[in-house]
Amino acid sequence: MDASSAEQLARRTLWRDGMLAFDDTPLSEAVADVTRQSGVRFTFAEPALADLRVGGLVRADDLDAFLELLRNNLAIHTERRGDDIILSATATR
């Protein structure tokens, strides 16, 4: 196993330590991981957002850190409605 494969394997198993790692991951997959950990549901206001790629490392139990990652790295706006979170490219009114 080369060094890059070992690093990828280590990142994929970070969930065992309560972490979620995203490395050029489609946003649709990233939100599915967060949903599994938190129970919140995500809705894409614009379907094309699901294909955006995200990278970063957050604690699995820190939903606010994940939402901040989306805002800071992808300029995605988030709107919480109970256990639902709406993701959009522009602020909703």
Side-chain angles (χ1 to χ4, degrees):
M1 180 181 303
D2 64 21
S4 65
S5 296
E7 182 180 319
Q8 287 176 340
L9 179 61
R11 286 180 67 85
R12 287 187 188 133
T13 59
L14 282 171
W15 63 269
R16 294 177 186 162
D17 297 323
M19 301 296 292
L20 294 174
F22 308 111
D23 185 18
D24 198 33
T25 305
L27 187 53
S28 59
E29 291 180 23
V31 299
D33 287 345
V34 172
T35 294
R36 279 192 289 280
Q37 297 296 318
S38 67
V40 298
R41 293 177 300 272
F42 290 88
T43 301
F44 293 100
E46 296 96 11
L49 293 177
D51 296 328
L52 292 178
R53 309 298 259 191
V54 64
L57 182 66
V58 295
R59 292 205 51 79
D61 61 356
D62 193 346
L63 178 61
D64 290 330
F66 178 70
L67 298 179
E68 184 175 332
L69 175 78
L70 298 183
R71 285 189 295 269
N72 291 340
N73 294 355
L74 299 174
I76 291 178
H77 297 275
T78 61
E79 180 183 343
R80 293 176 96 160
R81 295 180 185 167
D83 286 339
D84 293 323
I85 296 176
I86 312 300
L87 304 177
S88 63
T90 58
T92 56
R93 295 181 199 240

